Amino acid sequence: MNIALFLEQSFDPDAGGVQRSTSKLAKIFKEEGHNVIVITSNYQSSEIKLWNQIPIISIDFKKRKSELKKILEKKQISIIINQAGYSLKLTKNLIHSSNDGIKIINTLRINPLNFYTNYKQFIGLFLNSNKLGFLNNKIVQKIILKYHIIKQRSDLNYIIKNTDAFVMLSKGFTPELYFLAPNLKKYNHKIHSISNPFEKPILNIAQIEKDNIILFVGRLNILQKRVDLLLEIWKKLHKTLPDWKFWVVGEGEDQVFMENYCKENNLNRVTFFGKDNPNEYYKKAKIFHMTSAFEGFGNVLVEAQSYGCVPILFNSYAAAQDIVTHNENGMLVAPFNSDEYVDATTTLISNPSKLSQMALNGYENVNRFSYDQTYKKWEEVFNSLKSNLQ
């Protein structure tokens, strides 16, 4: 089949989240014998670039709306995988640009209830950034939340009704989807769950020399990643674990806040490495901390496990339990109990044999997300559409 993967972001295999996952899917589909292109609406150049012999095409929707239709026809695309599946506007553009023979699969890269369960933080940030903080009260919050639910319900109903398949990252997201839009239950045959793919490194976990390091990898952001709680937890551990260090890999809008917090609280065993390939950091660290309020999947958890770095995280989104089995290959903590998080960390550190066994278990757990296993699930989606493909 001829498959087009569609991105809103620029194509960057080394970036996190959807960009890296898109590059992996493109590679998997190509290795399985499909013809693959990647299209990005983040326009940079009309020049077609190649990545692993896969064409990367950048288009400008604002100036050349007809360009996408021409590309799809020229490449004889039979399936579009829209990695911005939450976008009503983009979905309509793809439908308008596709002929009847092209099937559209929308993917949702975040849990459906991410706004609903964190609306106070979202609304507070929005109002404060627009100098409207004085409006941040319960009445305004409820009005905005109600509007958001109505809009999200309307968007999801249109998207799923008018596309051919809808792929989320976890089975646990399906109840969330139906909570927002109960009418979607009649389209249950279109709704699938496929986790992100991973390629496990060939390592002997038992022989890796690790240091007393707790690691965080991700965007330095309070709203989603809750790096404020991350540092609150480390502040407590800093006192009780004098021979341990805390490493932070990533960048983001709240890095200055984090650096100032460390200075004000004399947290002199925290190192900020900036944006970097995290693999060598996973390899050195014993424990991985994640404090996110919500996620689509949590790629860093599987990455950490693949290098024997044991994750501890808040059980704050459905896919967390898809990846981590509590007390077997990681630790799940009640959201957002920082004291319980500290206890889970110190308990694990005080039992080195358990920590080592959980590292081994985590390494084996990664097999569930292999390229082969991931493709089998995508093939099921393709087969569900095949009878209608030209």
Side-chain angles (χ1 to χ4, degrees), residues 345-387:
T345 305
T346 53
T347 298
L348 195 55
I349 287 173
S350 65
N351 192 338
S353 61
K354 181 177 181 179
L355 181 60
S356 297
Q357 186 59 54
M358 291 176 74
L360 293 171
N361 294 344
Y363 183 71
E364 293 305 313
N365 182 58
V366 177
N367 292 329
R368 297 191 294 120
F369 311 108
S370 69
Y371 284 10
D372 286 345
Q373 292 299 316
T374 301
Y375 181 72
K376 287 178 182 178
K377 294 179 181 179
W378 274 104
E379 194 172 35
E380 290 176 7
V381 178
F382 296 156
N383 288 337
S384 74
L385 308 176
K386 191 172 290 184
S387 59

mmCIF file of all heavy atoms in Angstrom, residues 345-387:
data_model
loop_
_atom_site.group_PDB
_atom_site.id
_atom_site.type_symbol
_atom_site.label_atom_id
_atom_site.label_comp_id
_atom_site.label_asym_id
_atom_site.label_seq_id
_atom_site.Cartn_x
_atom_site.Cartn_y
_atom_site.Cartn_z
ATOM 1 N N THR A 345 10.254 5.879 46.515
ATOM 2 C CA THR A 345 11.641 5.990 46.065
ATOM 3 C C THR A 345 12.614 5.470 47.114
ATOM 4 O O THR A 345 13.510 4.669 46.808
ATOM 5 C CB THR A 345 11.986 7.453 45.730
ATOM 6 O OG1 THR A 345 11.054 7.959 44.762
ATOM 7 C CG2 THR A 345 13.397 7.566 45.168
ATOM 8 N N THR A 346 12.446 5.897 48.349
ATOM 9 C CA THR A 346 13.372 5.472 49.410
ATOM 10 C C THR A 346 13.226 3.983 49.711
ATOM 11 O O THR A 346 14.221 3.305 50.011
ATOM 12 C CB THR A 346 13.130 6.293 50.694
ATOM 13 O OG1 THR A 346 11.743 6.232 51.056
ATOM 14 C CG2 THR A 346 13.506 7.746 50.476
ATOM 15 N N THR A 347 12.005 3.467 49.629
ATOM 16 C CA THR A 347 11.789 2.030 49.852
ATOM 17 C C THR A 347 12.522 1.211 48.799
ATOM 18 O O THR A 347 13.157 0.190 49.108
ATOM 19 C CB THR A 347 10.279 1.700 49.808
ATOM 20 O OG1 THR A 347 9.609 2.397 50.858
ATOM 21 C CG2 THR A 347 10.051 0.203 49.974
ATOM 22 N N LEU A 348 12.459 1.654 47.565
ATOM 23 C CA LEU A 348 13.125 0.931 46.483
ATOM 24 C C LEU A 348 14.637 1.019 46.615
ATOM 25 O O LEU A 348 15.355 0.023 46.434
ATOM 26 C CB LEU A 348 12.673 1.511 45.132
ATOM 27 C CG LEU A 348 12.959 0.695 43.880
ATOM 28 C CD1 LEU A 348 12.384 -0.715 43.988
ATOM 29 C CD2 LEU A 348 12.391 1.401 42.649
ATOM 30 N N ILE A 349 15.140 2.187 46.965
ATOM 31 C CA ILE A 349 16.584 2.376 47.115
ATOM 32 C C ILE A 349 17.133 1.535 48.273
ATOM 33 O O ILE A 349 18.259 1.015 48.207
ATOM 34 C CB ILE A 349 16.907 3.872 47.309
ATOM 35 C CG1 ILE A 349 16.718 4.611 45.981
ATOM 36 C CG2 ILE A 349 18.323 4.072 47.837
ATOM 37 C CD1 ILE A 349 16.847 6.113 46.086
ATOM 38 N N SER A 350 16.324 1.374 49.302
ATOM 39 C CA SER A 350 16.777 0.608 50.474
ATOM 40 C C SER A 350 16.774 -0.896 50.230
ATOM 41 O O SER A 350 17.228 -1.668 51.078
ATOM 42 C CB SER A 350 15.888 0.925 51.688
ATOM 43 O OG SER A 350 14.559 0.476 51.461
ATOM 44 N N ASN A 351 16.282 -1.323 49.067
ATOM 45 C CA ASN A 351 16.240 -2.747 48.729
ATOM 46 C C ASN A 351 16.913 -2.959 47.376
ATOM 47 O O ASN A 351 16.246 -3.105 46.344
ATOM 48 C CB ASN A 351 14.788 -3.231 48.689
ATOM 49 C CG ASN A 351 14.677 -4.740 48.622
ATOM 50 O OD1 ASN A 351 15.611 -5.428 48.215
ATOM 51 N ND2 ASN A 351 13.518 -5.262 48.998
ATOM 52 N N PRO A 352 18.256 -2.960 47.346
ATOM 53 C CA PRO A 352 18.998 -3.043 46.082
ATOM 54 C C PRO A 352 18.660 -4.269 45.239
ATOM 55 O O PRO A 352 18.635 -4.192 44.007
ATOM 56 C CB PRO A 352 20.465 -3.070 46.524
ATOM 57 C CG PRO A 352 20.464 -2.445 47.884
ATOM 58 C CD PRO A 352 19.163 -2.837 48.500
ATOM 59 N N SER A 353 18.391 -5.412 45.889
ATOM 60 C CA SER A 353 18.086 -6.621 45.121
ATOM 61 C C SER A 353 16.750 -6.471 44.396
ATOM 62 O O SER A 353 16.598 -6.910 43.249
ATOM 63 C CB SER A 353 18.058 -7.843 46.045
ATOM 64 O OG SER A 353 17.053 -7.710 47.036
ATOM 65 N N LYS A 354 15.791 -5.841 45.044
ATOM 66 C CA LYS A 354 14.496 -5.602 44.397
ATOM 67 C C LYS A 354 14.651 -4.618 43.247
ATOM 68 O O LYS A 354 14.064 -4.799 42.170
ATOM 69 C CB LYS A 354 13.487 -5.060 45.413
ATOM 70 C CG LYS A 354 12.110 -4.814 44.811
ATOM 71 C CD LYS A 354 11.112 -4.344 45.869
ATOM 72 C CE LYS A 354 9.735 -4.124 45.252
ATOM 73 N NZ LYS A 354 8.739 -3.690 46.264
ATOM 74 N N LEU A 355 15.446 -3.591 43.458
ATOM 75 C CA LEU A 355 15.698 -2.603 42.407
ATOM 76 C C LEU A 355 16.328 -3.269 41.190
ATOM 77 O O LEU A 355 15.931 -3.015 40.050
ATOM 78 C CB LEU A 355 16.604 -1.491 42.948
ATOM 79 C CG LEU A 355 16.963 -0.359 41.982
ATOM 80 C CD1 LEU A 355 15.716 0.369 41.503
ATOM 81 C CD2 LEU A 355 17.926 0.625 42.657
ATOM 82 N N SER A 356 17.288 -4.154 41.428
ATOM 83 C CA SER A 356 17.953 -4.860 40.325
ATOM 84 C C SER A 356 16.986 -5.778 39.581
ATOM 85 O O SER A 356 17.006 -5.853 38.350
ATOM 86 C CB SER A 356 19.136 -5.673 40.861
ATOM 87 O OG SER A 356 20.114 -4.832 41.422
ATOM 88 N N GLN A 357 16.136 -6.476 40.332
ATOM 89 C CA GLN A 357 15.168 -7.371 39.695
ATOM 90 C C GLN A 357 14.150 -6.595 38.883
ATOM 91 O O GLN A 357 13.767 -7.010 37.776
ATOM 92 C CB GLN A 357 14.455 -8.206 40.758
ATOM 93 C CG GLN A 357 13.519 -9.271 40.181
ATOM 94 C CD GLN A 357 14.236 -10.261 39.273
ATOM 95 O OE1 GLN A 357 15.233 -10.870 39.669
ATOM 96 N NE2 GLN A 357 13.745 -10.413 38.038
ATOM 97 N N MET A 358 13.721 -5.448 39.384
ATOM 98 C CA MET A 358 12.762 -4.625 38.644
ATOM 99 C C MET A 358 13.386 -4.070 37.370
ATOM 100 O O MET A 358 12.700 -3.911 36.349
ATOM 101 C CB MET A 358 12.229 -3.500 39.529
ATOM 102 C CG MET A 358 11.326 -4.009 40.646
ATOM 103 S SD MET A 358 10.763 -2.726 41.798
ATOM 104 C CE MET A 358 9.558 -1.884 40.804
ATOM 105 N N ALA A 359 14.691 -3.805 37.408
ATOM 106 C CA ALA A 359 15.386 -3.349 36.206
ATOM 107 C C ALA A 359 15.369 -4.439 35.136
ATOM 108 O O ALA A 359 15.119 -4.169 33.954
ATOM 109 C CB ALA A 359 16.817 -2.949 36.547
ATOM 110 N N LEU A 360 15.618 -5.680 35.558
ATOM 111 C CA LEU A 360 15.571 -6.817 34.626
ATOM 112 C C LEU A 360 14.155 -7.030 34.085
ATOM 113 O O LEU A 360 13.966 -7.275 32.889
ATOM 114 C CB LEU A 360 16.059 -8.088 35.328
ATOM 115 C CG LEU A 360 17.540 -8.129 35.722
ATOM 116 C CD1 LEU A 360 17.819 -9.348 36.597
ATOM 117 C CD2 LEU A 360 18.428 -8.153 34.491
ATOM 118 N N ASN A 361 13.175 -6.932 34.962
ATOM 119 C CA ASN A 361 11.780 -7.103 34.539
ATOM 120 C C ASN A 361 11.377 -6.030 33.532
ATOM 121 O O ASN A 361 10.653 -6.308 32.566
ATOM 122 C CB ASN A 361 10.846 -7.043 35.753
ATOM 123 C CG ASN A 361 11.037 -8.200 36.719
ATOM 124 O OD1 ASN A 361 11.646 -9.210 36.381
ATOM 125 N ND2 ASN A 361 10.521 -8.048 37.927
ATOM 126 N N GLY A 362 11.827 -4.814 33.776
ATOM 127 C CA GLY A 362 11.497 -3.726 32.873
ATOM 128 C C GLY A 362 12.083 -3.933 31.497
ATOM 129 O O GLY A 362 11.431 -3.652 30.475
ATOM 130 N N TYR A 363 13.309 -4.431 31.449
ATOM 131 C CA TYR A 363 13.970 -4.695 30.172
ATOM 132 C C TYR A 363 13.189 -5.724 29.354
ATOM 133 O O TYR A 363 13.028 -5.580 28.133
ATOM 134 C CB TYR A 363 15.397 -5.181 30.425
ATOM 135 C CG TYR A 363 16.210 -5.416 29.166
ATOM 136 C CD1 TYR A 363 16.634 -4.344 28.395
ATOM 137 C CD2 TYR A 363 16.551 -6.703 28.768
ATOM 138 C CE1 TYR A 363 17.389 -4.550 27.241
ATOM 139 C CE2 TYR A 363 17.301 -6.920 27.631
ATOM 140 C CZ TYR A 363 17.717 -5.843 26.865
ATOM 141 O OH TYR A 363 18.454 -6.052 25.722
ATOM 142 N N GLU A 364 12.669 -6.743 30.025
ATOM 143 C CA GLU A 364 11.852 -7.750 29.329
ATOM 144 C C GLU A 364 10.492 -7.189 28.934
ATOM 145 O O GLU A 364 9.926 -7.558 27.897
ATOM 146 C CB GLU A 364 11.679 -8.983 30.222
ATOM 147 C CG GLU A 364 12.968 -9.757 30.467
ATOM 148 C CD GLU A 364 13.641 -10.169 29.164
ATOM 149 O OE1 GLU A 364 12.942 -10.680 28.272
ATOM 150 O OE2 GLU A 364 14.870 -9.967 29.054
ATOM 151 N N ASN A 365 9.971 -6.297 29.733
ATOM 152 C CA ASN A 365 8.664 -5.706 29.464
ATOM 153 C C ASN A 365 8.623 -4.959 28.132
ATOM 154 O O ASN A 365 7.583 -4.892 27.467
ATOM 155 C CB ASN A 365 8.298 -4.745 30.604
ATOM 156 C CG ASN A 365 6.937 -4.106 30.442
ATOM 157 O OD1 ASN A 365 5.921 -4.789 30.355
ATOM 158 N ND2 ASN A 365 6.899 -2.780 30.391
ATOM 159 N N VAL A 366 9.764 -4.415 27.732
ATOM 160 C CA VAL A 366 9.843 -3.621 26.504
ATOM 161 C C VAL A 366 9.496 -4.445 25.264
ATOM 162 O O VAL A 366 9.048 -3.902 24.245
ATOM 163 C CB VAL A 366 11.249 -2.980 26.369
ATOM 164 C CG1 VAL A 366 11.395 -2.215 25.066
ATOM 165 C CG2 VAL A 366 11.505 -2.038 27.543
ATOM 166 N N ASN A 367 9.653 -5.765 25.350
ATOM 167 C CA ASN A 367 9.337 -6.626 24.198
ATOM 168 C C ASN A 367 7.902 -6.443 23.721
ATOM 169 O O ASN A 367 7.610 -6.634 22.532
ATOM 170 C CB ASN A 367 9.567 -8.102 24.562
ATOM 171 C CG ASN A 367 11.034 -8.422 24.778
ATOM 172 O OD1 ASN A 367 11.904 -7.821 24.160
ATOM 173 N ND2 ASN A 367 11.315 -9.367 25.654
ATOM 174 N N ARG A 368 7.010 -6.068 24.624
ATOM 175 C CA ARG A 368 5.599 -5.909 24.260
ATOM 176 C C ARG A 368 5.367 -4.769 23.275
ATOM 177 O O ARG A 368 4.329 -4.706 22.622
ATOM 178 C CB ARG A 368 4.749 -5.667 25.515
ATOM 179 C CG ARG A 368 4.766 -6.814 26.490
ATOM 180 C CD ARG A 368 3.714 -6.651 27.569
ATOM 181 N NE ARG A 368 3.977 -5.517 28.437
ATOM 182 C CZ ARG A 368 3.155 -4.477 28.591
ATOM 183 N NH1 ARG A 368 2.024 -4.420 27.913
ATOM 184 N NH2 ARG A 368 3.460 -3.495 29.410
ATOM 185 N N PHE A 369 6.349 -3.872 23.196
ATOM 186 C CA PHE A 369 6.200 -2.694 22.344
ATOM 187 C C PHE A 369 7.145 -2.727 21.147
ATOM 188 O O PHE A 369 7.447 -1.699 20.551
ATOM 189 C CB PHE A 369 6.451 -1.428 23.176
ATOM 190 C CG PHE A 369 5.682 -1.398 24.465
ATOM 191 C CD1 PHE A 369 6.329 -1.572 25.686
ATOM 192 C CD2 PHE A 369 4.310 -1.239 24.465
ATOM 193 C CE1 PHE A 369 5.626 -1.560 26.878
ATOM 194 C CE2 PHE A 369 3.592 -1.226 25.653
ATOM 195 C CZ PHE A 369 4.252 -1.393 26.859
ATOM 196 N N SER A 370 7.598 -3.916 20.792
ATOM 197 C CA SER A 370 8.556 -4.061 19.697
ATOM 198 C C SER A 370 7.936 -3.642 18.365
ATOM 199 O O SER A 370 6.708 -3.537 18.234
ATOM 200 C CB SER A 370 9.029 -5.513 19.594
ATOM 201 O OG SER A 370 7.958 -6.342 19.152
ATOM 202 N N TYR A 371 8.789 -3.432 17.366
ATOM 203 C CA TYR A 371 8.317 -3.066 16.039
ATOM 204 C C TYR A 371 7.382 -4.142 15.490
ATOM 205 O O TYR A 371 6.349 -3.838 14.889
ATOM 206 C CB TYR A 371 9.509 -2.864 15.097
ATOM 207 C CG TYR A 371 10.249 -1.557 15.289
ATOM 208 C CD1 TYR A 371 9.987 -0.724 16.373
ATOM 209 C CD2 TYR A 371 11.218 -1.145 14.378
ATOM 210 C CE1 TYR A 371 10.667 0.466 16.550
ATOM 211 C CE2 TYR A 371 11.902 0.057 14.539
ATOM 212 C CZ TYR A 371 11.624 0.854 15.635
ATOM 213 O OH TYR A 371 12.302 2.041 15.791
ATOM 214 N N ASP A 372 7.746 -5.414 15.687
ATOM 215 C CA ASP A 372 6.919 -6.514 15.172
ATOM 216 C C ASP A 372 5.532 -6.509 15.795
ATOM 217 O O ASP A 372 4.516 -6.648 15.098
ATOM 218 C CB ASP A 372 7.598 -7.867 15.443
ATOM 219 C CG ASP A 372 8.779 -8.125 14.529
ATOM 220 O OD1 ASP A 372 8.894 -7.415 13.508
ATOM 221 O OD2 ASP A 372 9.580 -9.025 14.837
ATOM 222 N N GLN A 373 5.482 -6.369 17.123
ATOM 223 C CA GLN A 373 4.201 -6.376 17.813
ATOM 224 C C GLN A 373 3.354 -5.167 17.421
ATOM 225 O O GLN A 373 2.133 -5.265 17.262
ATOM 226 C CB GLN A 373 4.417 -6.389 19.329
ATOM 227 C CG GLN A 373 5.029 -7.672 19.866
ATOM 228 C CD GLN A 373 4.157 -8.888 19.585
ATOM 229 O OE1 GLN A 373 2.949 -8.863 19.758
ATOM 230 N NE2 GLN A 373 4.783 -9.974 19.140
ATOM 231 N N THR A 374 4.013 -4.027 17.255
ATOM 232 C CA THR A 374 3.290 -2.814 16.861
ATOM 233 C C THR A 374 2.720 -2.959 15.459
ATOM 234 O O THR A 374 1.553 -2.602 15.209
ATOM 235 C CB THR A 374 4.221 -1.588 16.919
ATOM 236 O OG1 THR A 374 4.724 -1.444 18.249
ATOM 237 C CG2 THR A 374 3.481 -0.320 16.532
ATOM 238 N N TYR A 375 3.516 -3.505 14.540
ATOM 239 C CA TYR A 375 3.027 -3.616 13.163
ATOM 240 C C TYR A 375 1.832 -4.571 13.069
ATOM 241 O O TYR A 375 0.899 -4.328 12.291
ATOM 242 C CB TYR A 375 4.127 -4.079 12.207
ATOM 243 C CG TYR A 375 3.587 -4.153 10.784
ATOM 244 C CD1 TYR A 375 3.310 -2.989 10.079
ATOM 245 C CD2 TYR A 375 3.298 -5.383 10.195
ATOM 246 C CE1 TYR A 375 2.769 -3.045 8.796
ATOM 247 C CE2 TYR A 375 2.756 -5.447 8.918
ATOM 248 C CZ TYR A 375 2.501 -4.273 8.226
ATOM 249 O OH TYR A 375 1.945 -4.321 6.973
ATOM 250 N N LYS A 376 1.848 -5.627 13.847
ATOM 251 C CA LYS A 376 0.724 -6.566 13.824
ATOM 252 C C LYS A 376 -0.592 -5.844 14.126
ATOM 253 O O LYS A 376 -1.630 -6.114 13.512
ATOM 254 C CB LYS A 376 0.946 -7.692 14.831
ATOM 255 C CG LYS A 376 2.007 -8.704 14.416
ATOM 256 C CD LYS A 376 2.196 -9.756 15.502
ATOM 257 C CE LYS A 376 3.295 -10.743 15.108
ATOM 258 N NZ LYS A 376 3.533 -11.746 16.177
ATOM 259 N N LYS A 377 -0.536 -4.900 15.067
ATOM 260 C CA LYS A 377 -1.745 -4.156 15.423
ATOM 261 C C LYS A 377 -2.139 -3.190 14.313
ATOM 262 O O LYS A 377 -3.337 -3.017 14.019
ATOM 263 C CB LYS A 377 -1.525 -3.416 16.742
ATOM 264 C CG LYS A 377 -1.342 -4.353 17.924
ATOM 265 C CD LYS A 377 -1.094 -3.598 19.216
ATOM 266 C CE LYS A 377 -0.893 -4.560 20.378
ATOM 267 N NZ LYS A 377 -0.629 -3.847 21.649
ATOM 268 N N TRP A 378 -1.138 -2.558 13.676
ATOM 269 C CA TRP A 378 -1.449 -1.668 12.559
ATOM 270 C C TRP A 378 -2.001 -2.461 11.374
ATOM 271 O O TRP A 378 -2.896 -2.004 10.656
ATOM 272 C CB TRP A 378 -0.208 -0.875 12.143
ATOM 273 C CG TRP A 378 -0.033 0.378 12.952
ATOM 274 C CD1 TRP A 378 0.845 0.591 13.963
ATOM 275 C CD2 TRP A 378 -0.787 1.589 12.819
ATOM 276 N NE1 TRP A 378 0.699 1.853 14.484
ATOM 277 C CE2 TRP A 378 -0.298 2.488 13.783
ATOM 278 C CE3 TRP A 378 -1.821 1.996 11.977
ATOM 279 C CZ2 TRP A 378 -0.809 3.776 13.939
ATOM 280 C CZ3 TRP A 378 -2.336 3.280 12.116
ATOM 281 C CH2 TRP A 378 -1.832 4.150 13.083
ATOM 282 N N GLU A 379 -1.482 -3.669 11.194
ATOM 283 C CA GLU A 379 -1.964 -4.507 10.095
ATOM 284 C C GLU A 379 -3.440 -4.861 10.291
ATOM 285 O O GLU A 379 -4.201 -4.941 9.320
ATOM 286 C CB GLU A 379 -1.114 -5.775 10.001
ATOM 287 C CG GLU A 379 -1.311 -6.544 8.701
ATOM 288 C CD GLU A 379 -0.309 -7.665 8.566
ATOM 289 O OE1 GLU A 379 0.050 -8.280 9.595
ATOM 290 O OE2 GLU A 379 0.118 -7.927 7.432
ATOM 291 N N GLU A 380 -3.845 -5.040 11.550
ATOM 292 C CA GLU A 380 -5.263 -5.300 11.830
ATOM 293 C C GLU A 380 -6.124 -4.107 11.408
ATOM 294 O O GLU A 380 -7.220 -4.283 10.870
ATOM 295 C CB GLU A 380 -5.453 -5.579 13.326
ATOM 296 C CG GLU A 380 -4.878 -6.912 13.783
ATOM 297 C CD GLU A 380 -5.011 -7.106 15.286
ATOM 298 O OE1 GLU A 380 -5.664 -6.256 15.946
ATOM 299 O OE2 GLU A 380 -4.463 -8.094 15.808
ATOM 300 N N VAL A 381 -5.626 -2.905 11.651
ATOM 301 C CA VAL A 381 -6.369 -1.713 11.228
ATOM 302 C C VAL A 381 -6.431 -1.645 9.703
ATOM 303 O O VAL A 381 -7.496 -1.402 9.127
ATOM 304 C CB VAL A 381 -5.708 -0.427 11.788
ATOM 305 C CG1 VAL A 381 -6.471 0.815 11.308
ATOM 306 C CG2 VAL A 381 -5.675 -0.469 13.311
ATOM 307 N N PHE A 382 -5.292 -1.889 9.048
ATOM 308 C CA PHE A 382 -5.265 -1.862 7.580
ATOM 309 C C PHE A 382 -6.229 -2.904 7.009
ATOM 310 O O PHE A 382 -6.955 -2.630 6.045
ATOM 311 C CB PHE A 382 -3.853 -2.126 7.059
ATOM 312 C CG PHE A 382 -2.842 -1.067 7.440
ATOM 313 C CD1 PHE A 382 -1.489 -1.378 7.494
ATOM 314 C CD2 PHE A 382 -3.231 0.224 7.732
ATOM 315 C CE1 PHE A 382 -0.546 -0.404 7.832
ATOM 316 C CE2 PHE A 382 -2.302 1.201 8.084
ATOM 317 C CZ PHE A 382 -0.959 0.883 8.138
ATOM 318 N N ASN A 383 -6.235 -4.085 7.594
ATOM 319 C CA ASN A 383 -7.111 -5.151 7.098
ATOM 320 C C ASN A 383 -8.589 -4.796 7.267
ATOM 321 O O ASN A 383 -9.429 -5.210 6.466
ATOM 322 C CB ASN A 383 -6.810 -6.470 7.819
ATOM 323 C CG ASN A 383 -5.488 -7.084 7.379
ATOM 324 O OD1 ASN A 383 -4.994 -6.792 6.285
ATOM 325 N ND2 ASN A 383 -4.912 -7.925 8.223
ATOM 326 N N SER A 384 -8.887 -4.042 8.304
ATOM 327 C CA SER A 384 -10.280 -3.625 8.516
ATOM 328 C C SER A 384 -10.747 -2.671 7.429
ATOM 329 O O SER A 384 -11.945 -2.515 7.194
ATOM 330 C CB SER A 384 -10.448 -2.974 9.898
ATOM 331 O OG SER A 384 -9.871 -1.665 9.919
ATOM 332 N N LEU A 385 -9.795 -2.033 6.751
ATOM 333 C CA LEU A 385 -10.122 -1.088 5.677
ATOM 334 C C LEU A 385 -9.955 -1.702 4.294
ATOM 335 O O LEU A 385 -10.458 -1.155 3.316
ATOM 336 C CB LEU A 385 -9.218 0.152 5.767
ATOM 337 C CG LEU A 385 -9.139 0.880 7.102
ATOM 338 C CD1 LEU A 385 -8.121 2.004 7.011
ATOM 339 C CD2 LEU A 385 -10.487 1.408 7.516
ATOM 340 N N LYS A 386 -9.232 -2.815 4.225
ATOM 341 C CA LYS A 386 -8.777 -3.351 2.947
ATOM 342 C C LYS A 386 -9.922 -3.643 1.981
ATOM 343 O O LYS A 386 -9.793 -3.454 0.760
ATOM 344 C CB LYS A 386 -7.948 -4.617 3.171
ATOM 345 C CG LYS A 386 -7.206 -5.084 1.920
ATOM 346 C CD LYS A 386 -6.242 -6.221 2.254
ATOM 347 C CE LYS A 386 -5.080 -5.721 3.078
ATOM 348 N NZ LYS A 386 -4.087 -6.807 3.335
ATOM 349 N N SER A 387 -11.033 -4.098 2.477
ATOM 350 C CA SER A 387 -12.143 -4.469 1.583
ATOM 351 C C SER A 387 -12.665 -3.261 0.815
ATOM 352 O O SER A 387 -13.266 -3.413 -0.255
ATOM 353 C CB SER A 387 -13.298 -5.072 2.405
ATOM 354 O OG SER A 387 -13.761 -4.145 3.367
#
